[in-house]
Amino acid sequence: MKLSRPARRVTLVMHVIASAGWLGLTLGLLALGLTAATTGSAVTVEASVRAMKLFADWLLLPLAFLTLGSGLLLSLGTQWGLARHRWVYTKFWLTLATTTATAFALRPGVNAAVAAVAAGEGLPDTGDILMGPVVSLSAYLFMTVISILKPWGPTRRGRRLRAAGRRPEPAGRVVETV
């Protein structure tokens, strides 16, 4: 299945906007987490973790799923393919891993911090609110770099598909048939 040019462009724009939003949101979560971890004010800690919870509950997963879905659609609907190029394959698995980590590690950590602060306790562990954004930010920056540089070449499957798409001409030249 190949996407038409207009569909590919719309999907690409959605993917870039969702990915940039997810990256920006992660930067915001990191700033709020650093503020909560370093301030001496209980009011500031509570405001920071409550804002983190708001972002985590309403924005993180929709952006994560939109990024994952649009990236999958682009990979399956364009010449890049999901398993033809190592950089696409790497991005897919990292996006899936960060989406899973967002749902099952980052959000519960933020919720635990909010519950502790609301009960009048301090932050239970600053790692709960800092490690998720740090790991996510590192993954998103890495994925951005490989999206631009497209390193590592094709996978074995990609090389096989590329070779199958060529046929020899009588003069000995190789012509792409795709």
Side-chain angles (χ1 to χ4, degrees), residues 57-154:
D57 286 347
W58 290 99
L59 297 174
L60 270 179
L61 285 179
L63 283 174
F65 286 125
L66 185 57
T67 300
L68 184 62
S70 61
L72 190 58
L73 184 61
L74 281 169
S75 68
L76 295 174
T78 65
Q79 80 277 4
W80 294 110
L82 181 59
R84 289 183 180 193
H85 298 274
R86 289 187 181 109
W87 71 271
V88 175
Y89 203 58
T90 301
K91 274 187 64 179
F92 170 74
W93 287 109
L94 279 174
T95 303
L96 189 60
T98 52
T99 300
T100 303
T102 295
F104 297 110
L106 189 138
R107 288 183 70 222
V110 169
N111 289 338
V114 169
V117 169
E121 305 167 15
L123 284 174
D125 182 14
T126 56
D128 285 344
I129 60 170
L130 290 178
M131 288 312 294
V134 167
V135 170
S136 295
L137 182 61
S138 301
Y140 305 150
L141 290 175
F142 176 72
M143 287 187 275
T144 300
V145 168
I146 67 174
S147 292
I148 294 167
L149 300 179
K150 298 173 180 43
W152 310 315

Side-chain angles (χ1 to χ4, degrees), residues 81 83-84 155-166 176-178:
R84 289 183 180 193
T155 61
R156 268 190 234 139
R157 180 178 188 273
R159 286 190 301 271
R160 205 171 45 247
L161 289 171
R162 184 179 292 165
R166 296 181 181 179
E176 194 75 27
T177 60
V178 178

Side-chain angles (χ1 to χ4, degrees), residues 6-44:
R8 182 184 53 80
R9 285 181 164 187
V10 167
T11 306
L12 180 61
V13 167
M14 280 187 348
H15 183 69
V16 169
I17 289 171
S19 299
W22 200 8
L23 177 64
L25 184 57
T26 301
L27 281 169
L29 287 170
L30 182 59
L32 289 167
L34 284 170
T35 300
T38 59
T39 188
S41 166
V43 172
T44 304

